[in-house]
Amino acid sequence: MTDLTDLRRLFAGLVLAGVPFAATWAADDAAPSYALGAGMQRMPAWIGADHHRDQAVPYFDIELPGWGELSSTDGLMLDLIHDTPWHGGLYGNYQWGRTSHALGPRLKGIVDPLGPRIHGGGYLEYHFTEHASLGGHVSHDTQGAGAYAALYADVDLPSIGYWQHSLEAQWQGMNGAAMRRFFGLRPAQAAALGVRAWQPGAGGEQVSLEYDAFMPTSRHTGFALALDYGRLIGPAGNSPLVQRFGARTQVTTSIAFLYHF
């Protein structure tokens, strides 16, 4: 997952790519579930970057059956349908920006740094079984800097002993304002970098495949791992910012130690 993905993700510093297994400790699936933890994440320095940064990240997951979930992996999902197999309602998430330091000496002072933002919108999911679902969400920057959409499918894989794991495939898209915010280059910026100006419109931004795994170490503790392989597409992948100074391939890895109660 990228700075955006790991736009899949609610408060600053609270993003840890895909660790959806905290609730597996719960003795009763209908009971509320709470998990806290901390870990390390290695992620692209900015969306489209060809280099990475490491950072410590806290983790939390609160699941209230019939009401929704608040987590550092999937943000806020408030279920207003309450009708199995359909779920849907309000959606909120956090989006990383990019700092001048992260841009590095080649781009610092030319390409705009971007502050983090909170998104709000809605989501809808269909659960084929307890272990497979299809869904999507749309959201808008609460400060008016663009709109975002995602479609995803996830499936739990057969456990290997105590090792629990899953896969999620996802497509992400942006409207023109969001696309230009992250991947656009004004004529003056392009001239300073020696590339063509780029003012993209709406389109696909990234496709990704995420593998998540969890290994319990006791009734209340365990390690969670995640590997997200993404590929920038469309106007995002064609941006001179990515082609000349970054990379289409975006990989994020995470590890965390969790406590469930």
Side-chain angles (χ1 to χ4, degrees), residues 106-117:
R106 296 179 298 174
L107 303 176
K108 183 178 180 180
I110 301 175
V111 174
D112 299 331
L114 301 173
R117 297 294 178 86

Side-chain angles (χ1 to χ4, degrees), residues 30-216:
S33 175
Y34 308 91
L36 297 174
M40 291 294 298
Q41 185 176 56
R42 182 169 178 79
M43 60 193 294
W46 43 273
I47 301 177
D50 60 358
H51 58 289
H52 290 75
R53 60 188 174 94
D54 300 317
Q55 66 179 45
V57 286
Y59 170 85
F60 65 87
D61 184 85
I62 302 170
E63 293 190 16
L64 302 176
W67 291 95
E69 178 181 5
L70 175 64
S71 77
S72 53
T73 61
D74 296 315
L76 172 68
M77 303 180 81
L78 183 59
D79 190 0
L80 302 179
I81 295 180
H82 310 297
D83 184 20
T84 303
W86 289 97
H87 299 273
L90 300 180
Y91 170 79
N93 215 333
Y94 180 85
Q95 180 188 55
W96 291 96
R98 63 189 182 209
T99 65
S100 294
H101 177 75
L103 287 168
R106 296 179 298 174
L107 303 176
K108 183 178 180 180
I110 301 175
V111 174
D112 299 331
L114 301 173
R117 297 294 178 86
I118 292 177
H119 293 177
Y123 81 100
L124 183 66
E125 291 182 348
Y126 182 82
H127 292 233
F128 298 96
T129 69
E130 253 185 77
H131 304 288
S133 63
L134 181 69
H137 55 73
V138 293
S139 61
H140 200 282
D141 189 315
T142 55
Q143 299 183 46
Y148 305 81
L151 297 173
Y152 51 88
D154 57 69
V155 60
D156 293 336
L157 302 174
S159 298
I160 304 174
Y162 292 109
W163 184 265
Q164 303 164 56
H165 51 165
S166 70
L167 282 175
E168 179 180 276
Q170 183 169 139
W171 172 93
Q172 297 175 10
M174 300 177 171
N175 72 353
M179 195 71 73
R180 290 187 290 275
R181 183 171 187 258
F182 281 95
F183 302 104
L185 288 173
R186 299 185 296 275
Q189 294 174 312
L193 295 173
V195 298
R196 70 189 187 280
W198 188 249
Q199 293 296 302
E205 179 255 330
Q206 181 175 243
V207 292
S208 62
L209 183 65
E210 183 175 308
Y211 174 78
D212 301 298
F214 174 75
M215 173 59 75

